[in-house]
């Protein structure tokens, strides 16, 4: 069993004015793929390095399985790490790179061969075992780094932006391969990235971080669909979730400028934010039957192949709408936007936190 428990962990670097991470509580289940996602500087690498034992927390405890590892050095934690830079030894063949950790442990040659070949097979590296890193592409070198980590059969695999040095196409390909690999080896994995698409694609759960804190921990679709805060809704998804400023005065209605929108009965009075994803608005070129559509003005239409992305304004507030490719509308023209009622999210305007749910 290698679940990871992080309890009350905090860290301020010497000379740092604010904590790099603050009072983090997170449990990662055995075999789970947990993504730490957040913008640059939010503390995700610091948290990963504390799991690895490369940094020590000022406060809190970390345990892996049934062992408290807070005071243990990295090599006693039973984990392996893959970094952004490929970190392979240039003077060793692919075989010897993958074998390195096993050789250090003085494993018998026959076991080394078997385990290296197995790891190489999982990462489709068999044809390259006798090559040197300089004779490999960036993607292949990063696969060597991953093979070198998993060959050790760690109880926990830590990865820090392992795809970020790859070009766009390789990233896409390797992302899918990594997902398949990790589901096969079933190792508890903690994966750091600032790329929300990677997080959505790979994670069993995502911990969204900002300014040293975790804002939400949930399955990818839940983070996407039910963001705990305005920041989470804006950070995840392309385009970001739309947020409209509205005013609630009870009576199951909010007003947005001159227009109104049905709202939950329990909504408190005052300023609120209405969150809605671009694909949960249906666009019309003439007023649809029934109530509930907001009148908007078209600003830009971008044909993106599979769909159009329309930028529009509602009462001066900008929002994005996904439409079919045959939705024909010119900039400046009026359109009507009908939100899917069960996809509306209600947040406090004051601090951007969720009001219900
Ligand atoms: P990135 O995606 O840019 O790597 P991150 O989310 O991983 O960012 P961290 O590297 O954990 O963020 O940094 C968190 C905060 O701690 C930042 O404000 C950073 O400047 C600071 N920090 C990180 N490492 C050190 C260090 N060795 N000494 C002092 N401050 C540090």
């Amino acid at each position: 069993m290698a679940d990871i428990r992080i309890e009350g962990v905090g860290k301020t670097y010497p000379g740092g004015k604010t904590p790099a991470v603050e009072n983090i509580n997170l449990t990662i289940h055995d075999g789970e793929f947990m993504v730490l996602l957040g913008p640059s500087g939010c503390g995700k690498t610091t948290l990963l390095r504390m799991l690895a034992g490369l940094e020590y927390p000022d406060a809190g405890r970390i345990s892996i399985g049934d062992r408290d590892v807070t005071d243990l050095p990295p090599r006693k934690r039973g984990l392996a790490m893959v970094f952004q830079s490929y970190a392979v030894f240039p003077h060793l063949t692919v075989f010897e790179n993958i074998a390195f950790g096993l050789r250090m442990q003085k494993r018998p040659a026959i076991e080394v061969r078997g385990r290296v070949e197995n790891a190489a097979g999982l990462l489709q590296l068999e044809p390259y075992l006798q090559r040197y890193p300089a004779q490999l592409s960036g993607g292949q070198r990063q696969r060597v780094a991953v093979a070198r980590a998993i060959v050790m059969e760690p109880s926990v695999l830590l990865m820090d932006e392992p795809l970020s040095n790859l070009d766009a196409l390789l990233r896409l390909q390797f992302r899918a391969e990594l997902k398949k690999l990790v589901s096969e080896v079933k190792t508890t994995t903690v994966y750091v990235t600032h790329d929300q698409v990677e997080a959505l694609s790979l994670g069993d759960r995502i911990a969204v971080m900002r300014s040293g804190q975790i804002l939400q921990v949930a399955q990818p679709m839940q983070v996407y669909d039910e963001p705990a805060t305005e920041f989470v809704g804006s950070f995840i998804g392309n385009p970001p979730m739309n947020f409209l400023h509205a005013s609630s005065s009870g009576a199951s209605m909010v007003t947005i400028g001159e227009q109104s929108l049905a709202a939950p009965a329990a909504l408190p009075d005052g300023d609120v934010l209405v969150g809605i994803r671009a694909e949960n608005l249906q666009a019309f070129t003439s007023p649809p039957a029934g109530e509930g559509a907001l009148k908007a003005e078209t600003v830009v239409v971008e044909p993106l192949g599979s769909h159009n992305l329309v930028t529009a304004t509602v009462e001066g507030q900008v929002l994005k709408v996904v439409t079919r490719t045959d939705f024909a509308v010119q900039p400046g023209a009026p359109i009507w936007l009908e939100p899917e009622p069960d996809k509306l999210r209600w947040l406090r305007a004051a601090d951007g936190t969720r009001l219900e749910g």
Side-chain angles (χ1 to χ4, degrees):
M1 286 293 285
D3 52 335
I4 302 171
R5 280 192 311 285
I6 303 169
E7 292 169 298
V9 162
K11 167 98 190 164
T12 304
Y13 287 103
K17 288 194 186 67
T18 51
V21 298
E22 200 175 2
N23 191 24
I24 298 283
N25 291 289
L26 181 66
T27 298
I28 301 158
H29 306 303
D30 186 39
E32 187 174 34
F33 195 122
M34 174 66 78
V35 178
L36 304 179
L37 173 71
S40 183
C42 72
K44 39 195 199 304
T45 297
T46 300
L47 186 55
L48 196 77
R49 288 175 60 83
M50 287 194 288
L51 286 176
L54 300 169
E55 296 287 351
Y56 283 91
D58 306 332
R61 308 301 302 173
I62 297 173
S63 49
I64 298 177
D66 50 13
R67 284 194 311 159
D68 185 328
V69 299
T70 319
D71 302 314
L72 291 184
R75 68 195 151 75
K76 294 206 170 154
R77 296 189 180 201
L79 41 80
M81 198 156 172
V82 179
F83 297 96
Q84 179 174 342
S85 51
Y86 312 125
V88 290
F89 300 117
H91 61 288
L92 296 180
T93 61
V94 169
F95 185 99
E96 288 304 329
N97 260 288
I98 301 174
F100 187 80
L102 299 172
R103 299 256 195 247
M104 295 290 284
Q105 289 181 349
K106 303 207 178 342
R107 299 279 176 179
I110 186 142
E111 180 190 336
V112 172
R113 173 155 296 279
R115 284 171 68 173
V116 170
E117 283 173 356
N118 189 29
L122 283 169
L123 284 140
Q124 291 147 36
L125 285 168
E126 293 115 318
Y128 312 108
L129 283 172
Q130 296 316 317
R131 287 202 197 173
Y132 287 88
Q135 301 167 306
L136 300 176
S137 71
Q140 290 161 344
R141 251 175 266 163
Q142 191 58 309
R143 278 188 219 174
V144 174
V146 175
R148 207 173 56 181
I150 63 163
V151 80
M152 302 308 293
E153 295 169 9
S155 53
V156 173
L157 190 55
L158 305 178
M159 299 202 217
D160 193 352
E161 309 247 14
L163 306 186
S164 59
N165 282 351
L166 306 180
D167 68 39
L169 195 62
L170 261 181
R171 259 179 110 119
L172 208 67
Q173 198 186 353
F174 197 32
R175 191 175 78 203
E177 284 171 16
L178 199 59
K179 180 163 183 155
K180 181 164 170 278
L181 170 79
V182 171
S183 71
E184 281 165 8
V185 298
K186 296 188 178 66
T187 306
T188 311
T189 302
V190 186
Y191 185 102
V192 161
T193 184
H194 62 270
D195 180 334
Q196 51 95 21
V197 179
E198 248 169 53
L200 288 170
S201 137
L202 290 170
D204 291 320
R205 284 191 300 159
I206 303 173
V208 186
M209 295 183 66
R210 184 192 200 186
S211 308
Q213 293 179 330
I214 293 180
L215 301 179
Q216 184 171 14
V217 187
Q219 292 175 359
M221 276 320 289
Q222 196 182 351
V223 178
Y224 181 83
D225 200 35
E226 309 225 21
T229 71
E230 181 188 8
F231 174 82
V232 175
S234 305
F235 195 74
I236 299 206
N238 184 15
M241 186 176 256
N242 297 304
F243 290 100
L244 293 173
H245 284 269
S247 175
S248 159
S249 54
S252 306
M253 279 293 191
V254 295
T255 52
I256 302 169
E258 302 283 296
Q259 306 190 50
S260 59
L261 193 65
L267 209 61
D269 290 357
D271 292 339
V272 296
L273 290 176
V274 188
I276 181 91
R277 289 267 174 210
E279 67 274 24
N280 299 131
L281 286 162
Q282 202 181 348
F284 299 89
T285 50
S286 56
E291 292 180 358
L294 295 166
K295 189 173 179 204
E297 185 180 327
T298 311
V299 179
V300 184
V301 180
E302 296 171 82
L304 297 179
S306 61
H307 62 275
N308 288 355
L309 186 63
V310 176
T311 305
T313 54
V314 170
E315 303 286 327
Q317 302 190 49
V318 178
L319 76 182
K320 303 273 187 190
V321 188
V322 167
T323 71
R324 288 167 39 147
T325 49
D326 58 3
F327 184 77
V329 67
Q330 295 300 320
I335 51 172
W336 284 260
L337 303 175
E338 193 166 66
E340 285 176 48
D342 64 346
K343 293 291 185 183
L344 290 167
R345 305 291 174 249
W346 306 92
L347 300 91
R348 287 176 197 84
D351 62 0
T353 56
R354 267 300 276 283
L355 272 160
E356 25 63 276

